[in-house]
């Protein structure tokens, strides 16, 4: 079985590099056409076809990773954060391929591929070893629930990419009035949220490469139904400099950073879980690193990043982008409904003997479903089209990302195993 897992890892690396190459080809198709003496259409088609070809081959390698890891590990590889995020990246690529074959829009890859690369890199932060399934996960409904939910979210991701392209395409950077400035700021902020995810990767891999580690000891006291108190001491290991210490903890070892010899403050007592402080610390470092990355890019560009991208989208019809975004979400919504709600409830009844328990992940899955229900209702019944529809698609996927990242990393619940 070890050979299969080694082969699976190699296939995953091949898929990652092919996705990176695909993004480069798509980026050349978007930006390089201004440097070419050929007709823009010829240049875009040539590099766009190379990008799509690399994406398809990369997806096949990713599919190979998925099935060989399944065979070598003995269960479907969607049981922890590493496996789920790699599967989500593969699902987004599948959704992109489907949408591309329908609309033949080469430039969508310039926005969809970076999202896949970021998600795969994000998955690499978590332990990649095959772990035995906990009892709650050892059921075939896990396969059905997780895969369909992720596939629905993948189509939401493609809808987000097209909507973000649409917003950057239609924003007018020459406007100086209040409404024009507001549109520019919010479009830039949407791009900044993605950069924060990149900042998270920069911080984690940077400090991990430097071998940073600090350790805390935390004592938790529990009182049973008979009023008898019991305590348990656990160690919490930080791989990022601890701005936030675990609540009610003591320092075991502390590696100073930039003169910081102790944490700035303790985690809040209402954040449950022994790892709550470490997770909050990770979020803070993600924002700090995201601000640094964004600041460096702004210094290089000397203007808003959306203003840099905007001229390269001038040949695209914004109505085509809106159609792509709407169709992708329309495909993903029923799949997400089945996977994240119906199949999830069936699995919850089997695993925890209840259909619904107001677990944070369940609540945010419902919030996501309600949001996209409102998107479809407003677009079809109220005629919300253009930028209003695009903004809903962008905000909707930010809700999805909070459900996947924020809930798993910050809020403790029955799904917290995914964040370990």
């Amino acid at each position: 079985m070890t050979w299969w897992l080694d082969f699976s890892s190699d296939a995953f690396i091949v898929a990652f590099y092919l996705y990176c190459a695909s993004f480069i080809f798509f980026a050349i198709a978007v930006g390089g056409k201004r440097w070419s003496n050929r007709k823009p259409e010829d240049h875009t088609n040539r590099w766009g076809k190379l990008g799509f070809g690399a994406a398809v081959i990369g997806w096949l390698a990713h599919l190979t990773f998925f099935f060989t890891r399944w065979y070598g590990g003995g269960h479907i590889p969607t049981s922890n954060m590493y496996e789920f995020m790699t599967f989500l990246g593969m699902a987004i690529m599948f959704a992109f391929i489907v949408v591309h074959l329908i609309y033949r829009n080469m430039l969508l890859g310039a926005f969809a591929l970076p999202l896949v690369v970021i998600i795969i890199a994000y998955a690499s932060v978590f332990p990649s070893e095959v772990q035995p399934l906990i009892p709650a996960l050892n059921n075939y409904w896990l396969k059905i629930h997780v895969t369909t939910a992720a596939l629905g979210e993948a189509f939401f991701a493609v809808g987000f990419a097209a909507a973000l392209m649409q917003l950057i395409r239609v924003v007018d950077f020459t406007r100086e009035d209040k409404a024009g400035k507001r549109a520019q700021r919010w479009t830039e902020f949407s791009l900044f949220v993605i950069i924060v995810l990149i900042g998270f990767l920069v911080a984690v891999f940077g400090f991990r490469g430097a071998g940073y580690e600090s350790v805390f000891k935390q004592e938790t006291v529990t009182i049973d139904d008979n009023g008898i108190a019991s305590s348990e001491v656990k160690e919490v290991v930080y791989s990022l400099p601890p701005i936030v210490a675990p609540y009610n903890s003591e320092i075991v070892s502390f590696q100073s950073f930039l003169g910081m010899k102790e944490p700035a403050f303790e985690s809040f007592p209402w954040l449950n879980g022994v790892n709550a402080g470490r997770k909050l610390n990770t979020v803070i470092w993600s924002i700090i690193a995201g601000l640094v990355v964004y600041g460096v890019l702004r210094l290089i560009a000397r203007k808003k990043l959306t203003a840099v991208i905007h001229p390269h989208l001038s040949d695209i019809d914004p109505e085509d982008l809106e159609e792509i975004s709407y169709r992708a979400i329309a495909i993903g919504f029923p799949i997400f409904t089945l996977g994240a709600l119906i199949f999830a409830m069936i699995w919850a009844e089997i695993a925890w003997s209840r259909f619904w328990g107001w677990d944070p992940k369940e609540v945010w899955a419902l919030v996501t479903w309600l949001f996209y229900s409102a998107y479809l209702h407003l677009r079809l019944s109220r005629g919300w089209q253009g930028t209003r529809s695009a903004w809903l698609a962008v905000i909707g996927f930010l809700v999805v990302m909070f459900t996947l990242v924020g809930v798993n990393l910050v809020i403790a619940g029955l799904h917290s195993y995914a964040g370990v």
Side-chain angles (χ1 to χ4, degrees):
M1 293 299 178
T2 303
W3 183 89
W4 285 103
L5 293 177
D6 291 339
F7 181 77
S8 175
S9 298
D10 293 339
F12 183 69
I13 294 172
V14 170
F16 178 77
Y17 282 114
L18 283 171
Y19 291 155
C20 292
S22 176
F23 165 65
I24 293 172
F25 292 146
F26 279 121
I28 294 174
V30 173
K33 63 186 179 183
R34 295 181 176 270
W35 312 324
S36 175
N37 293 325
R38 296 190 180 101
K39 293 180 180 179
E41 295 81 4
D42 295 338
H43 187 89
T44 300
N45 287 336
R46 177 189 174 188
W47 288 101
K49 287 178 180 178
L50 285 174
F52 182 70
V56 171
I57 298 172
W59 182 76
L60 292 175
H62 203 155
L63 199 65
T64 302
F65 154 79
F66 178 77
F67 284 109
T68 51
R69 185 179 176 91
W70 188 346
Y71 181 78
H75 58 79
I76 187 170
T78 55
S79 60
N80 56 39
M81 199 63 173
Y82 170 79
E83 293 177 342
F84 179 80
M85 296 305 289
T86 55
F87 179 80
L88 178 62
M90 185 177 71
I92 292 175
M93 280 308 305
F94 173 75
F96 164 70
I97 291 170
V98 170
V99 172
H100 171 81
L101 291 175
I102 295 173
Y103 290 98
R104 302 289 179 177
N105 190 309
M106 296 290 182
L107 304 186
L108 182 61
F111 282 73
L113 265 298
L115 191 60
V116 174
V117 171
I118 291 171
I119 286 175
I120 291 177
Y122 174 77
S124 301
V125 170
F126 298 94
S128 60
E129 295 80 10
V130 175
Q131 302 170 353
L133 288 177
I134 64 175
L137 298 179
N138 193 16
N139 189 282
Y140 67 90
W141 279 105
L142 166 70
K143 306 178 182 66
I144 301 173
H145 155 56
V146 176
T147 53
T148 49
L151 186 59
E153 291 166 346
F155 279 98
F156 293 160
V158 174
F160 160 79
L164 186 58
M165 287 178 66
Q166 178 187 350
L167 290 173
I168 297 175
R169 167 65 178 82
V170 301
V171 68
D172 186 355
F173 290 95
T174 63
R175 291 180 59 179
E176 296 293 336
D177 60 292
K178 187 175 181 180
K181 289 288 187 180
R182 184 170 60 248
Q184 296 169 27
R185 284 196 303 268
W186 282 110
T187 306
E188 187 78 1
F189 177 77
S190 300
L191 197 59
F192 171 74
V193 172
I194 304 300
I195 294 176
V196 168
L197 292 178
I198 298 174
F200 166 78
L201 300 174
V202 171
V204 171
F205 284 116
F207 284 107
R208 180 182 292 179
Y212 184 90
E213 183 177 289
S214 290
V215 182
F216 293 84
K217 180 174 64 176
Q218 183 187 49
E219 181 179 4
T220 57
V221 179
T222 57
I223 301 176
D224 61 20
D225 296 336
N226 297 321
I228 300 174
S230 61
S231 64
E232 182 180 10
V233 178
K234 293 183 178 180
E235 284 193 346
V236 184
V237 180
Y238 279 56
S239 59
L240 296 172
I243 298 173
V244 182
Y247 177 71
N248 192 28
S249 64
E250 298 179 2
I251 298 175
V252 176
S253 65
F254 193 94
Q255 186 175 347
S256 63
F257 174 74
L258 295 179
M260 185 174 66
K261 297 182 179 180
E262 62 181 16
F265 60 94
E266 279 192 346
S267 177
F268 306 108
W270 46 267
L271 284 176
N272 297 322
V274 66
N275 291 308
R278 178 178 58 82
K279 294 176 179 180
L280 178 59
N281 189 69
T282 302
V283 172
I284 294 174
W285 269 108
S286 300
I287 296 173
I288 293 173
L291 287 169
V292 171
V293 172
Y294 177 77
V296 170
L297 293 175
R298 281 293 300 267
L299 285 175
I300 296 173
R302 297 185 178 181
K303 57 183 175 180
K304 292 184 175 67
L305 301 184
T306 47
V308 176
I309 300 172
H310 175 77
H312 301 294
L313 304 179
S314 58
D315 297 332
I316 307 175
D317 188 346
E319 293 184 0
D320 292 342
L321 294 173
E322 181 183 3
E323 176 69 14
I324 293 172
S325 178
Y326 164 67
R327 292 298 176 187
I329 293 173
I331 294 172
F333 182 76
I335 301 174
F336 181 82
T337 302
L338 288 172
L341 293 182
I342 297 176
F343 295 154
M345 289 180 179
I346 296 173
W347 177 42
E349 172 64 25
I350 296 172
W352 300 307
S353 301
R354 89 287 188 280
F355 286 104
W356 188 264
W358 297 104
D359 180 73
K361 195 67 172 287
E362 295 173 346
V363 171
W364 279 96
L366 178 61
V367 170
T368 303
W369 183 83
L370 290 173
F371 189 94
Y372 279 104
S373 298
Y375 164 85
L376 293 173
H377 170 73
L378 291 171
R379 194 184 188 283
L380 296 175
S381 300
R382 300 291 183 179
W384 279 36
Q385 296 184 3
T387 55
R388 290 191 296 183
S389 175
W391 273 118
L392 289 176
V394 168
I395 296 171
F397 188 69
L398 295 182
V399 173
V400 170
M401 291 308 297
F402 177 79
T403 304
L404 293 177
V405 179
V407 173
N408 279 333
L409 287 183
V410 179
I411 305 174
L414 290 173
H415 290 77
S416 293
Y417 62 84
V420 176

